[in-house]
Amino acid sequence: MSTVLVTGASGFIGRPTVTRLLDAGHQVHAVARRQPAAGDPRVHWHELDLHEHDRLVALLAAVAPDRALHLAWDVSPGFAHSSENLPWAASSLRLVHALSEVGCRRLVTAGTCFEYDWTAGVCREDDTPTLPSSLYGTAKLAVNTTARAASAALEMEIAIGRVFFLFGPGEPPGKLVAHVVRSVLAGERAACTSGEQVRDYLYVDDVAAGLAALVDSEVTGPVNIARGEGVRIADLVTLIGQVAGRPELIGLGDRETPAGEPPVIVADTARLRDEVGVADPLPLAEAIERTVAWWRRQPAVTAG
Amino acid sequence: MSTVLVTGASGFIGRPTVTRLLDAGHQVHAVARRQPAAGDPRVHWHELDLHEHDRLVALLAAVAPDRALHLAWDVSPGFAHSSENLPWAASSLRLVHALSEVGCRRLVTAGTCFEYDWTAGVCREDDTPTLPSSLYGTAKLAVNTTARAASAALEMEIAIGRVFFLFGPGEPPGKLVAHVVRSVLAGERAACTSGEQVRDYLYVDDVAAGLAALVDSEVTGPVNIARGEGVRIADLVTLIGQVAGRPELIGLGDRETPAGEPPVIVADTARLRDEVGVADPLPLAEAIERTVAWWRRQPAVTAG
């Protein structure tokens, strides 16, 4: 059992990841700007804005985590090109340094497929060049590259969970799957592109399983957190329509595909499966079924 | 005339750069942890540790600079692989963001030849890959890449002065030229390697001229600040011995060349000369003469 500090613990990825870490027997200290109303009672919650560095340092000294998982970042709409990525990169670098100062010996940061050169199609951790096309990807890559280069100086293992595309219960409403599910459950047409793009979509609980396993492992460097298999967006949204019983509401081709959309973004997941030892994920259809069922249970679903 | 904020203004590069900016007619607000005793009276000094973000924000609001030059960084011995590079990267990113918030519309940051892949030999801003081999280079590159990617979001022009090797009055004693000059002036043998390496060495006042011109220009992106011409280290230190009148004290070959030293690190300076419009630098022999003369005037020279 370790004492694990988790930032961004109240977020879409944070919530199921905290559950996984608790189930693995860890003592979890969760940091969030606001403690969620219905959080797991086993968690030690700490309300903190990560930009408040002095308060963070005091918290770290009190908790003295063995391991940490840094998920917090601004991902509000427009975040891909927002100047808020700079303070988030800054606070992340300060966090990494401060963790080392209190004796934390392993850190997993949340990376992203936005760090890769997307012309590659299939992204492999060691071969595929990094070439972010967004400020978000650039800032994340800057933090993760610097943290990794500092590993020896910090006497801290650094692993980077490069999260690809995802969906599931609690997804922010503006995202693709949440938007389509909520639209069709509300009886509204979901305007989609023609959906020729192929993306690597993983159920959020499997993302959580990957990140929690990475915290527990000794693997360092970047590790793709993904299904390892692409799905055409058209097939994904068609599946949602079928599962929700409203296939006629899937408006394929209602919207133009934005110029410059990469045709394929898929992860190689050999490191995740073979080195970190994470089991195969939930089949896509089952994951969509669970997601639709969860949204059905939410009160007052209106299209986002 | 602009209001220019300069960080690291009391440092080796900062001092002559501030003079250049004043001579160009700018109002200079200089930030340093401690105001130098014999600073230029035309400067508005502000004693501030850049890690104290709240104080920095208050200062920026009061000064409201049009342009800024960010030179401050930890370059104490061992800095190449020190974990202190993380808080410096963090504070630099916060500074960039805070400058934008108070309406600063042009920022020049201090880059470094340590950002380049040194197997290239001659480094060109747009062609030569970046591949830092030190934590310092990684952290600097992270800041500069992120700042540059954020230029549109920040509504701020970003230029990066990639400073190569340098020497001159006031150089920290542990550095090559300062060490050799001080040794031979003290009548002590200066232990050197065989000096086959070729490096691009520029007189500090010419570094200052390049950075000040970059502040005044509209050029964005990285610009090499260098002579654009290599010198064998053996020739450089031999010249020092001759100028100081003690050629017999230059101990070429006294020390082993460290393994993995890149044979050639030289800058292409076409951007600096043609786009920024900076004149040719002082000839190397004259720069060494001025440097030796300066060290002769210092009290109690003992070998560093």
Side-chain angles (χ1 to χ4, degrees):
Chain A
M1 193 197 80
S2 295
T3 299
V4 183
L5 184 97
V6 181
T7 73
S10 65
F12 175 45
I13 296 176
R15 290 188 304 268
T17 308
V18 162
T19 303
R20 292 267 176 177
L21 289 166
L22 289 164
D23 291 349
H26 296 299
Q27 191 177 66
V28 175
H29 287 263
V31 176
R33 265 170 295 193
R34 215 160 302 169
Q35 174 173 350
D40 193 305
R42 296 171 292 173
V43 178
H44 303 265
W45 283 99
H46 304 275
E47 290 197 345
L48 180 83
D49 181 336
L50 278 188
H51 297 327
E52 294 179 54
H53 187 65
D54 293 345
R55 286 192 60 212
L56 174 65
V57 167
L59 170 64
L60 293 181
V63 171
D66 311 307
R67 295 166 189 242
L69 173 62
H70 174 42
L71 300 174
W73 200 277
D74 179 9
V75 288
S76 52
F79 72 93
H81 302 285
S82 161
S83 64
E84 285 304 308
N85 283 292
L86 270 70
W88 274 103
S91 294
S92 297
L93 287 167
R94 283 208 158 271
L95 168 69
V96 174
H97 187 249
L99 281 165
S100 153
E101 300 270 295
V102 298
C104 180
R105 290 296 159 253
R106 180 170 178 83
L107 167 67
V108 176
T109 67
T112 164
C113 64
F114 284 78
E115 297 176 43
Y116 284 114
D117 179 352
W118 279 346
T119 61
V122 177
C123 302
R124 249 185 304 272
E125 295 91 341
D126 293 325
D127 305 359
T128 305
T130 51
L131 187 68
S133 55
S134 68
L135 178 51
Y136 168 70
T138 302
K140 280 271 185 178
L141 181 63
V143 168
N144 293 333
T145 305
T146 306
R148 196 181 171 197
S151 177
L154 297 167
E155 299 177 57
M156 187 157 69
E157 294 175 5
I158 310 271
I160 299 136
R162 282 196 179 140
V163 178
F164 278 61
F165 301 90
L166 69 165
F167 65 94
E171 187 181 22
K175 300 291 190 159
L176 176 70
V177 172
H179 170 71
V180 173
V181 173
R182 286 159 56 94
S183 295
V184 300
L185 289 184
E188 293 171 10
R189 188 173 170 88
C192 300
T193 67
S194 62
E196 297 304 320
Q197 317 92 295
V198 172
R199 297 290 182 265
D200 193 322
Y201 266 91
L202 188 62
Y203 189 54
V204 66
D205 198 45
D206 285 312
V207 173
L211 288 169
L214 193 51
V215 169
D216 257 342
S217 84
E218 294 179 355
V219 174
T220 60
V223 177
N224 291 338
I225 307 288
R227 177 176 300 278
E229 199 179 270
V231 59
R232 280 174 69 240
I233 295 299
D235 295 339
L236 181 70
V237 295
T238 299
L239 181 61
I240 295 170
Q242 288 163 352
V243 168
R246 300 298 297 271
E248 75 285 5
L249 292 178
I250 301 300
L252 276 179
D254 282 4
R255 295 168 48 200
E256 290 240 352
T257 303
E261 274 281 285
V264 177
I265 305 172
V266 173
D268 180 300
T269 52
R271 289 202 81 189
L272 181 68
R273 307 275 167 248
D274 303 340
E275 295 181 41
V276 184
V278 174
D280 286 341
L282 209 61
L284 196 58
E286 200 174 329
I288 290 291
E289 277 165 24
R290 291 196 193 182
T291 303
V292 170
W294 185 87
W295 280 111
R296 274 195 205 279
R297 290 196 304 272
Q298 303 313 300
V301 168
T302 54
Chain B
M1 194 195 80
S2 295
T3 299
V4 183
L5 184 97
V6 181
T7 73
S10 65
F12 175 44
I13 296 176
R15 289 189 305 268
T17 308
V18 163
T19 303
R20 292 266 177 177
L21 289 166
L22 290 164
D23 291 348
H26 296 299
Q27 191 174 68
V28 175
H29 287 262
V31 176
R33 265 171 294 193
R34 214 159 303 170
Q35 175 173 349
D40 193 307
R42 295 172 293 174
V43 178
H44 303 265
W45 282 100
H46 304 275
E47 290 198 343
L48 180 82
D49 181 337
L50 278 186
H51 297 327
E52 293 178 55
H53 188 65
D54 293 344
R55 287 192 60 211
L56 173 66
V57 166
L59 170 64
L60 293 180
V63 171
D66 310 307
R67 294 166 190 243
L69 173 62
H70 175 42
L71 299 174
W73 200 275
D74 179 9
V75 288
S76 51
F79 72 93
H81 302 285
S82 160
S83 63
E84 286 303 308
N85 283 292
L86 270 70
W88 274 104
S91 294
S92 298
L93 288 166
R94 284 209 156 268
L95 168 69
V96 174
H97 187 249
L99 282 165
S100 154
E101 300 270 294
V102 297
C104 180
R105 290 295 159 252
R106 179 170 178 82
L107 167 66
V108 176
T109 67
T112 164
C113 63
F114 284 77
E115 296 176 43
Y116 284 114
D117 179 352
W118 280 347
T119 60
V122 177
C123 302
R124 249 186 305 271
E125 294 92 342
D126 293 325
D127 306 358
T128 305
T130 51
L131 188 66
S133 55
S134 68
L135 177 51
Y136 168 71
T138 303
K140 279 271 183 177
L141 181 63
V143 169
N144 293 332
T145 305
T146 306
R148 197 181 171 196
S151 177
L154 298 167
E155 297 178 60
M156 187 158 68
E157 294 174 6
I158 310 271
I160 299 136
R162 282 195 180 142
V163 178
F164 279 61
F165 301 89
L166 71 164
F167 66 92
E171 189 181 21
K175 299 292 191 157
L176 176 69
V177 172
H179 170 71
V180 173
V181 173
R182 286 159 56 94
S183 294
V184 299
L185 289 183
E188 293 171 11
R189 187 173 172 89
C192 301
T193 67
S194 62
E196 297 303 319
Q197 319 90 299
V198 172
R199 297 290 181 266
D200 193 323
Y201 266 92
L202 187 62
Y203 189 54
V204 67
D205 198 46
D206 285 313
V207 173
L211 289 169
L214 193 52
V215 169
D216 256 343
S217 84
E218 294 179 354
V219 174
T220 58
V223 176
N224 291 338
I225 308 287
R227 177 177 299 280
E229 200 179 86
V231 59
R232 281 175 67 239
I233 296 298
D235 295 339
L236 180 70
V237 296
T238 299
L239 181 62
I240 294 171
Q242 288 163 352
V243 168
R246 301 298 299 270
E248 77 283 4
L249 292 178
I250 301 301
L252 278 178
D254 283 4
R255 294 168 48 200
E256 289 240 352
T257 303
E261 275 281 284
V264 176
I265 305 172
V266 173
D268 181 299
T269 52
R271 288 201 83 189
L272 182 67
R273 308 274 167 246
D274 303 341
E275 295 182 41
V276 184
V278 174
D280 285 342
L282 208 62
L284 196 59
E286 200 175 328
I288 290 291
E289 277 165 25
R290 290 194 192 184
T291 303
V292 171
W294 185 87
W295 279 112
R296 273 196 206 280
R297 292 196 302 272
Q298 303 313 300
V301 167
T302 52

